[in-house]
Amino acid sequence: EAGVTQFPSHSVIEKGQTVTLRCDPISGHDNLYWYRRVMGKEIKFLLHFVKESKQDESGMPNNRFLAERTGGTYSTLKVQPAELEDSGVYFCASSQGQKFSPLHFGNGTRLTVT
Amino acid sequence: AQTVTQSQPEMSVQEAETVTLSCTYDTSENNYYLFWYKQPPSRQMILVIRQEAYKQQNATENRFSVNFQKAAKSFSLKISDSQLGDTAMYFCAFGFNDYKLSFGAGTTVTVRA
């Protein structure tokens, strides 16, 4: 089966610009997660979708971040306007229905805001 | 919020030898899950091993085993007979009642030939 795919793999933008990250989960996985790792620090949870619904978005840093999962398939994470502290690696993961079933991660998108 | 601490940013081990990665966590909960994930260079993060807190027996997966000390809130990972393909960053993670995981900062393991 195809794994979790994230696009782009790298993005370099200037402060104030907009960037949209995309994640295609494994087909049939209802759960989709976004996590972020800021340089050298722990990976932090951003949000969790169950199909097209946001189940938990408690980790979203602020209202400059907007995540969507239209139709319950792929998801996008938009940052607008980007700030320097948004730099990091953004991971997407998907899993099947059971709680704590293994997460399948994408390769991540490395975002650099200059 | 649960916190997960990995106190070793980097570790190096000779091929075929054993290395142990430490992980401690802070929680007041009794039933939870602990995980070790591995991210090889330029590759996807994958699950290495998983432990359920209500199980006293330590989990093992081939050359990977854990030492789960619930009272001490410690969850170390032992890699036996290290192989070059074990070179990766290893993340310890904690999960409780909801679906989200709390991760540590990671330990970079380098296996030397």
Side-chain angles (χ1 to χ4, degrees):
Chain A
E1 64 181 6
V4 176
T5 305
Q6 290 188 245
F7 182 83
S9 57
H10 294 84
S11 181
V12 181
I13 61 172
E14 293 183 352
K15 176 181 172 181
Q17 290 185 322
T18 297
V19 63
T20 300
L21 314 181
R22 172 168 170 146
C23 169
D24 287 75
I26 292 173
S27 178
H29 282 191
D30 289 340
N31 295 294
L32 187 149
Y33 310 81
W34 284 98
Y35 285 84
R36 176 175 75 171
R37 183 170 191 240
V38 174
M39 179 68 75
K41 298 193 174 180
E42 64 273 14
I43 299 171
K44 288 198 171 181
F45 168 83
L46 296 178
L47 87 160
H48 170 212
F49 284 100
V50 176
K51 297 184 180 178
E52 67 275 10
S53 299
K54 291 177 186 175
Q55 189 74 13
D56 181 349
E57 52 183 332
S58 61
M60 295 287 263
N62 50 60
N63 60 10
R64 296 186 293 103
F65 289 74
L66 175 63
E68 295 181 325
R69 192 183 181 195
T70 306
T73 55
Y74 71 90
S75 174
T76 58
L77 178 65
K78 183 164 73 173
V79 185
Q80 178 184 30
E83 298 289 345
L84 298 179
E85 65 265 24
D86 301 332
S87 295
V89 180
Y90 290 76
F91 292 102
C92 176
S94 69
S95 71
Q96 293 181 321
Q98 293 179 334
K99 191 181 294 185
F100 299 127
S101 56
L103 295 183
H104 298 261
F105 282 85
N107 281 354
T109 294
R110 181 174 295 278
L111 174 64
T112 302
V113 182
T114 62
Chain B
Q2 326 298 340
T3 57
V4 178
T5 302
Q6 294 179 248
S7 58
Q8 305 148 316
E10 297 181 2
M11 297 195 74
S12 180
V13 61
Q14 192 72 34
E15 195 174 10
E17 295 190 343
T18 295
V19 63
T20 299
L21 283 59
S22 67
C23 173
T24 58
Y25 56 93
D26 183 25
T27 184
S28 57
E29 306 299 336
N30 192 45
N31 294 319
Y32 48 86
Y33 292 79
L34 294 162
F35 308 84
W36 280 98
Y37 278 86
K38 162 187 176 181
Q39 186 179 24
S42 302
R43 292 179 61 185
Q44 295 168 326
M45 192 149 51
I46 58 173
L47 178 66
V48 175
I49 202 165
R50 153 185 161 149
Q51 174 83 39
E52 294 158 45
Y54 66 87
K55 290 186 177 178
Q56 293 187 340
Q57 187 173 6
N58 289 324
T60 62
E61 287 289 343
N62 300 316
R63 297 181 295 103
F64 296 86
S65 61
V66 297
N67 183 5
F68 174 46
Q69 301 289 327
K70 191 173 183 179
K73 299 179 183 175
S74 171
F75 183 61
S76 61
L77 174 71
K78 183 169 77 173
I79 308 174
S80 303
D81 185 24
S82 297
Q83 300 177 0
L84 296 179
D86 296 333
T87 292
M89 178 162 279
Y90 290 78
F91 293 94
C92 179
F94 171 101
F96 167 49
N97 193 40
D98 48 24
Y99 284 71
K100 62 189 177 191
L101 298 183
S102 298
F103 285 86
T107 297
T108 300
V109 173
T110 302
V111 180
R112 307 185 309 274

